[in-house]
């Protein structure tokens, strides 16, 4: 089968979804008001509440939610064949992710820019709010650990990507200063910054002296350097520490200084990257060599695990945290929410789609695919590497040498993951401060105290657990729990939007139907994992960390669902004056 048909079908569905379905939802369901005074104007402080052009904000929002997950998830899920992954990405994006991301953004804007955790207090009750905040706290903690693990691994495997990624930081600060102090346009400086980054990537690919290869510096994989760690483990450890220091600084700076300009650069980087890959697809038109459904995938059932393996790229609870945590505080006009929220979800669907295509066309034969994807564990540990090789292969279709293409693709993946990482640390700081305020623990409300807790706990979570690949594979270990927690959070957010719509006397089925589907699949998958896998019952692969965290989250989710449906059935007559 020619892979171009996957792209054509997917892009057509995405375009129809944004043009017609999101417009109907905006006008008939969410009823956006162009005259509504958004929190960005109402509480403008120049730090978190900053009115922002919708295209710039789309860049921040999209790159914050895109990360590495819409690549990693699909690259793993094709283990079951390309067809289930393809269908879940395109249909999940249009009917679940779009209304979820769009809806949480509108809900937050209508509630003073508050997070979905705080809004839970108003819609359901204080007890549900605290339960929800705990789930969110665990999720962002795992996001920090997983994405720090992904970035560090890519720095170790692709040392030529390090310099282009880090050179982006001073460039973004320069752009932030030029735009907000000198009122310059952000477009031209960000394109210059992107050219500098890619020029550095080309040089680093060909000049070994520009490659920051810590593994070689510490003697390679065979030598013990310190505390019994070899060069690979030592390099990984150092990159984790460097990333946590960066996150500490980035998440405490005003958004205009680094977050927005860097994300705007990354939005152009994504457009350029996707353009390269899709043009390469058009010119090469590679054949799909992976099977539509993999009959050999008998160790792990795709139903329901597919729907938690592909989280970002179909629907993701983390997107709701970004929508209500940072994007809602920067929305200039309420009518911009459709462009930022729904189109942001579509953008991620486009990224997940090319991830699927890159993987399923990389192999010369179906036998090679089946050999590499011999088990779910093999798919989980090797999927990201296959994507980078497959994407580099597509890039050769536009005459980019394979070594340079690999560096550029790894730079794109790291840039998105880093964007998500420091946005997640910022969100974790908000949540810790919110919990501190709720329980009158004043030290937790301090920016630097809350950020220190967020950074230290994230580093500990990724470094301390010894995963299947030894020291430093804690992020790999956490991936299954990340997926289930992420989808449970999406279900709860859809439930909140449904309650809000019902109280406004509007059609809530738009969010209620995908909520039921997400809850059913995710709770089923999580029960399977907590009871039959992580507990050790019927398996020798017990993991107490995942069992305890997963069990607590599952209990709290059931608790929230019971309280939420009780609140859902209560009669609340909306008034003309209330935002809710």
């Amino acid at each position: 089968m020619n892979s171009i048909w996957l792209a054509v079908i997917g892009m057509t569905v995405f375009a129809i979804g944004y043009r017609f379905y999101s417009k109907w939802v905006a006008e008939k369901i969410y009823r956006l008001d162009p005259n509504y005074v958004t929190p960005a104007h109402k509480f403008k402080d120049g730090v978190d509440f900053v009115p922002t052009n919708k295209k710039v904000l789309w860049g921040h929002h999209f790159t914050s939610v895109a990360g590495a997950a819409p690549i990693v998830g699909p690259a793993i899920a094709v283990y079951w064949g390309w067809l289930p992954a393809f269908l879940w990405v395109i249909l999940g994006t249009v009917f679940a992710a779009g209304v979820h991301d769009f809806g949480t953004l509108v809900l937050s804007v209508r509630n003073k820019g508050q997070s979905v955790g705080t809004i839970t207090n108003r819609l359901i009750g204080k007890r549900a709010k605290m339960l929800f905040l705990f789930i969110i706290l665990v999720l962002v903690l795992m996001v920090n650990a997983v994405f720090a693990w992904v970035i560090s691994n890519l720095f170790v495997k692709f040392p030529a990507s390090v310099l282009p990624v880090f050179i982006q930081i001073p460039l973004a600060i320069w752009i932030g200063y030029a735009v907000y102090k000198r009122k310059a346009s952000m477009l031209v400086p960000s394109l210059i910054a992107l050219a500098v980054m890619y020029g550095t990537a080309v040089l680093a690919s060909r000049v070994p002296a520009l490659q920051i290869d810590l593994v070689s510096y510490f003697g390679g994989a065979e030598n013990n350097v310190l505390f019994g760690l070899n060069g690979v483990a030592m390099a990984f450890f150092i990159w984790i520490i460097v990333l946590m220091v960066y996150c500490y600084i980035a998440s405490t700076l005003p958004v205009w200084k680094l977050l927005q300009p860097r994300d705007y650069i990354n939005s152009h980087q994504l457009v350029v990257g996707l353009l390269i890959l899709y043009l390469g697809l058009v010119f090469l038109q590679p054949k799909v060599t992976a099977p539509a459904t993999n009959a050999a995938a008998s160790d792990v059932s795709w139903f329901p695990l597919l729907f938690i393996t592909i989280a970002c790229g179909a629907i993701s609870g983390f997107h709701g945290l970004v929508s209500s945590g940072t994007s809602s505080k920067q929305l200039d006009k309420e009518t911009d929410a459709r462009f930022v929220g729904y189109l942001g979800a579509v953008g991620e669907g486009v990224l997940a789609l090319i991830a699927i295509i890159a993987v399923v066309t990389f192999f010369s034969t179906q036998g090679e695919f089946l050999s590499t994807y011999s088990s779910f564990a093999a798919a989980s540990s090797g999927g990201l590497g296959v994507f980078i090789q497959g994407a580099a292969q597509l890039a050769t279709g536009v005459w980019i040498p394979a070594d340079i293409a690999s560096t550029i693709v790894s730079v794109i993946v790291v840039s998105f993951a880093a964007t998500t990482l420091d946005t997640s640390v910022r969100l974790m700081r908000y949540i810790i401060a919110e919990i501190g305020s709720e329980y009158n623990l004043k030290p937790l409300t301090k920016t630097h105290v809350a950020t220190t807790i967020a950074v230290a706990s994230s580093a500990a979570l990724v470094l301390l657990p010894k995963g299947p690949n030894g020291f430093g594979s804690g992020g790999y270990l956490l991936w299954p729990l990340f997926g289930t927690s992420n989808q449970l959070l999406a279900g709860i957010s859809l439930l909140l939007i449904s309650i809000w719509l019902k109280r406004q006397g509007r059609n809530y089925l738009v969010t209620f139907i995908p909520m039921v589907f997400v809850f059913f699949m995710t709770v089923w998958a999580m029960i399977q994992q907590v009871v039959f896998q992580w507990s050790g019952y019927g398996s020798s692969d017990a993991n107490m960390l995942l069992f305890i965290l997963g069990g607590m989250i599952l209990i709290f989710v059931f608790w929230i669902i019971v309280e939420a449906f009780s609140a859902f059935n209560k009669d609340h007559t909306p008034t003309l004056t209330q935002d809710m």
Side-chain angles (χ1 to χ4, degrees):
M1 175 182 175
N2 192 325
S3 59
I4 198 72
W5 287 110
L6 297 181
V8 170
I9 294 170
M11 298 293 278
T12 301
V13 173
F14 291 150
I16 292 173
Y18 180 71
R19 173 63 181 85
F20 297 104
Y21 187 59
S22 73
K23 186 173 185 292
W24 176 75
V25 171
E27 295 177 353
K28 303 299 183 181
I29 307 299
Y30 295 151
R31 300 181 189 176
L32 304 184
D33 181 1
N35 299 315
Y36 183 79
V37 180
T38 64
H41 290 281
K42 194 178 298 183
F43 309 110
K44 183 177 179 180
D45 61 7
V47 179
D48 294 317
F49 292 87
V50 180
T52 305
N53 178 277
K54 69 177 183 180
K55 294 180 180 178
V56 175
L57 182 56
W58 180 87
H60 154 69
H61 178 83
F62 179 32
T63 52
S64 293
V65 301
I71 294 171
V72 176
I76 295 172
V78 294
Y79 168 64
W80 294 295
W82 62 261
L83 183 59
F86 174 75
L87 291 176
W88 175 227
V89 164
I90 61 172
L91 298 179
T93 295
V94 171
F95 296 108
V99 294
H100 170 272
D101 297 13
F102 185 8
T104 48
L105 182 57
V106 173
L107 184 62
S108 179
V109 166
R110 286 284 174 165
N111 286 273
K112 303 177 182 179
Q114 295 173 334
S115 69
V116 286
T118 303
I119 295 169
T120 305
N121 188 26
R122 297 182 63 183
L123 291 175
I124 304 176
K126 182 177 179 180
R127 185 166 49 206
K129 170 194 170 182
M130 299 313 298
L131 294 171
F132 196 17
L133 284 178
F134 171 80
I135 296 174
I136 295 172
L137 189 64
V138 173
L139 175 62
V140 294
L141 180 60
M142 286 189 293
V143 168
N144 297 342
V146 168
F147 281 74
W149 170 73
V150 168
I151 295 170
S152 298
N153 270 281
L154 289 177
F155 279 167
V156 168
K157 293 177 181 177
F158 300 95
S161 68
V162 176
L163 186 59
V165 168
F166 276 95
I167 206 171
Q168 186 187 49
I169 298 173
L171 290 170
I173 293 173
W174 163 65
I175 292 173
Y177 177 80
V179 170
Y180 288 94
K181 293 297 184 181
R182 296 190 174 183
K183 307 301 181 183
S185 168
M186 191 179 285
L187 178 60
V188 174
S190 68
L191 293 177
I192 293 173
L194 187 60
V196 171
M197 285 181 64
Y198 282 0
T200 306
V202 171
L203 288 174
S205 298
R206 295 295 171 87
V207 182
L210 296 178
Q211 299 177 12
I212 305 178
D213 187 358
L214 295 184
V215 176
S216 297
Y217 178 80
F218 286 114
E222 301 301 324
N223 299 325
N224 291 332
V225 180
L226 187 65
F227 304 122
L229 302 179
N230 62 21
V232 175
M234 196 65 193
F236 185 91
F237 175 80
I238 289 175
W239 284 130
I240 290 294
I241 299 304
V242 169
L243 286 171
M244 291 298 115
V245 171
Y246 161 75
C247 286
Y248 185 99
I249 296 170
S251 62
T252 54
L253 289 174
V255 291
W256 63 266
K257 281 190 176 180
L258 179 58
L259 190 70
Q260 283 184 349
R262 185 213 49 212
D263 291 354
Y264 196 56
I265 296 171
N266 285 340
S267 68
H268 289 119
Q269 184 175 193
L270 178 61
V271 171
V272 171
L274 288 175
L275 186 62
I276 289 173
L277 296 182
Y278 277 100
L279 281 176
L281 178 66
V282 170
F283 291 139
L284 292 178
Q285 297 196 21
K287 301 296 182 183
V288 176
T289 53
T293 57
N294 183 9
S298 57
D299 57 333
V300 178
S301 172
W302 72 273
F303 195 86
L305 291 181
L306 170 74
F307 303 100
I308 63 168
T309 302
I310 300 181
C312 301
I315 182 172
S316 166
F318 181 75
H319 294 193
L321 300 185
V322 175
S323 290
S324 65
T326 59
S327 299
S328 64
K329 297 175 176 63
Q330 302 171 58
L331 197 71
D332 184 34
K333 298 178 181 179
E334 190 176 68
T335 47
D336 292 345
R338 176 186 171 219
F339 183 88
V340 174
Y342 197 98
L343 192 60
V346 168
E348 185 159 89
V350 171
L351 178 58
L353 177 61
I354 198 63
I356 292 172
I357 294 173
V359 172
V360 300
T361 59
F362 171 68
F363 301 94
S364 300
T365 65
Q366 187 173 122
E368 287 185 14
F369 172 87
L370 295 175
S371 176
T372 302
Y373 281 77
S374 58
S375 66
F376 185 73
S380 299
S381 60
L384 180 58
V386 173
F387 163 77
I388 290 177
Q389 296 176 77
Q393 181 173 276
L394 289 178
T396 61
V398 288
W399 308 285
I400 300 176
D403 58 336
I404 294 174
S406 295
T407 300
I408 290 176
V409 172
S410 60
V411 166
I412 292 173
V413 175
V414 169
S415 297
F416 294 158
T419 299
T420 302
L421 181 60
D422 60 52
T423 298
S424 179
V425 171
R426 184 181 289 261
L427 292 171
M428 191 171 179
R429 187 239 301 174
Y430 292 159
I431 296 165
I432 292 171
E434 197 166 338
I435 293 173
S437 176
E438 188 70 37
Y439 290 103
N440 200 28
L441 300 172
K442 292 193 180 296
L444 296 183
T445 64
K446 305 297 183 182
T447 296
H448 292 287
V449 173
T451 306
T452 299
I453 294 172
V455 167
S457 58
S458 301
L461 191 59
V462 72
L463 289 173
L464 293 182
K466 186 176 181 180
N469 298 322
F471 172 82
S473 56
Y476 168 86
L477 188 72
L478 292 166
W479 184 265
L481 185 56
F482 162 72
T484 50
S485 302
N486 199 12
Q487 300 301 70
L488 286 172
L489 180 59
I492 296 171
S493 297
L494 286 170
L495 180 55
L496 291 174
I497 302 169
S498 299
I499 293 173
W500 174 65
L501 291 173
K502 184 174 184 290
R503 292 182 182 177
Q504 295 297 309
R506 302 176 193 173
N507 181 1
Y508 58 84
L509 293 179
V510 167
T511 53
F512 191 83
I513 292 174
M515 177 209 73
V516 172
F517 179 82
V518 169
F519 266 142
F520 178 77
M521 293 299 175
T522 309
V523 170
W524 183 7
M526 196 162 194
I527 290 174
Q528 284 186 345
Q529 290 177 311
V530 171
V531 176
F532 298 107
Q533 183 177 346
W534 299 331
S535 68
Y537 178 78
S539 168
S540 60
D541 299 326
N543 187 295
M544 292 310 296
L545 175 65
L546 296 183
F547 175 69
I548 292 171
L549 288 177
M552 291 174 64
I553 291 172
L554 194 57
I555 291 170
F556 287 172
V557 165
F558 277 122
W559 195 345
I560 290 175
I561 291 174
V562 170
E563 297 213 12
F565 274 97
S566 175
F568 186 81
N569 291 323
K570 290 179 181 177
D571 181 36
H572 289 78
T573 304
T575 65
L576 295 176
T577 58
Q578 65 183 145
D579 281 350
M580 287 182 61

